[in-house]
Amino acid sequence: MNSNLGIRKIVIAGVLGSIAILLGVTQLGFIPVPTAAGTVTIVHIPVIVGAILEGWGVGTAIGLIFGVTSLLESTIPLFKDPLVAIVPRLFIGLFAYLIYAALKRKNEYIAIGAAGFIGSITNTVLVLTAAVLRNYLSLEVAVSVGLTNGIPEAIVSVIITIAVVAGWKKLTPNRKQKAKLLSEEVEG
């Protein structure tokens, strides 16, 4: 039984790691926006999804794949530095998993959404902190990028993470939730 769990973790890490590589290499994971950073990233979402589905170890492995891809594909000095490109990404899955594990017994949807939000904010805060500490960005620029890009990235992360994980786990609302959703549809 344990070998099946190990195989499942490896397969999910591989599939989601491949998606992270695809999003990074093709630039599909970087949505252009008119802000100081120029793009909003969604490449961290496979890391969060992996952590929720299979734990912090799988999330960390996918975070490593994301970071290495970022390092290898970057054309700017900021992400050619492994302390900026790789190290912060190792913590996305850990923090996403910890918040998910802490909240899942109360409400699965809130736990998934919170994990999506915290995972995304972890990426933003740790990358920008590393960039400031390594003198690539001033604190003012980092705060500006964090606010203009970090919050929208976190919101997008919540939406996509809930959709993907709920679909994967085949979560369905209970009767009360269905009634509430139905009444909202009728009103809206």
Side-chain angles (χ1 to χ4, degrees):
M1 184 93 162
N2 278 346
S3 67
N4 287 341
L5 289 175
I7 291 169
R8 176 184 163 89
K9 287 180 185 287
I10 291 168
V11 169
I12 289 177
V15 169
L16 292 171
S18 297
I19 291 170
I21 291 169
L22 179 71
L23 290 172
V25 170
T26 63
Q27 300 297 305
L28 291 172
F30 302 98
I31 302 165
V33 292
T35 64
T39 62
V40 224
T41 184
I42 59 170
V43 184
H44 59 281
I45 295 174
V47 179
I48 298 164
V49 170
I52 292 169
L53 294 176
E54 295 300 326
W56 67 269
V58 169
T60 302
I62 302 166
L64 176 64
I65 293 168
F66 168 29
V68 169
T69 302
S70 179
L71 178 80
L72 296 175
E73 290 296 313
S74 180
T75 58
I76 59 173
L78 167 72
F79 289 109
K80 288 288 186 189
D81 184 339
L83 295 176
V84 177
I86 298 173
V87 174
R89 274 62 188 267
L90 299 175
F91 294 94
I92 299 169
L94 173 64
F95 290 130
Y97 174 75
L98 290 175
I99 196 73
Y100 172 74
L103 298 175
K104 71 180 178 181
R105 285 192 178 94
K106 293 190 189 310
N107 183 302
E108 187 83 10
Y109 288 103
I110 289 173
I112 295 166
F117 186 84
I118 294 299
S120 184
I121 291 297
T122 298
N123 181 56
T124 300
V125 169
L126 293 183
V127 166
L128 292 174
T129 299
V132 169
L133 293 175
R134 304 283 293 156
N135 295 315
Y136 292 107
L137 299 175
S138 70
L139 180 59
E140 295 78 21
V141 169
V143 168
S144 173
V145 169
L147 292 174
T148 59
N149 280 47
I151 302 301
E153 281 179 2
I155 293 167
V156 168
S157 179
V158 168
I159 294 165
I160 294 173
T161 302
I162 289 173
V164 170
V165 174
W168 189 295
K169 290 183 162 206
K170 296 181 175 114
L171 293 177
T172 56
N174 63 32
R175 285 185 181 188
K176 267 187 185 174
Q177 291 169 323
K178 284 180 184 177
K180 184 178 177 189
L181 289 172
L182 203 62
S183 69
E184 287 172 359
E185 283 181 26
V186 172
E187 290 172 6

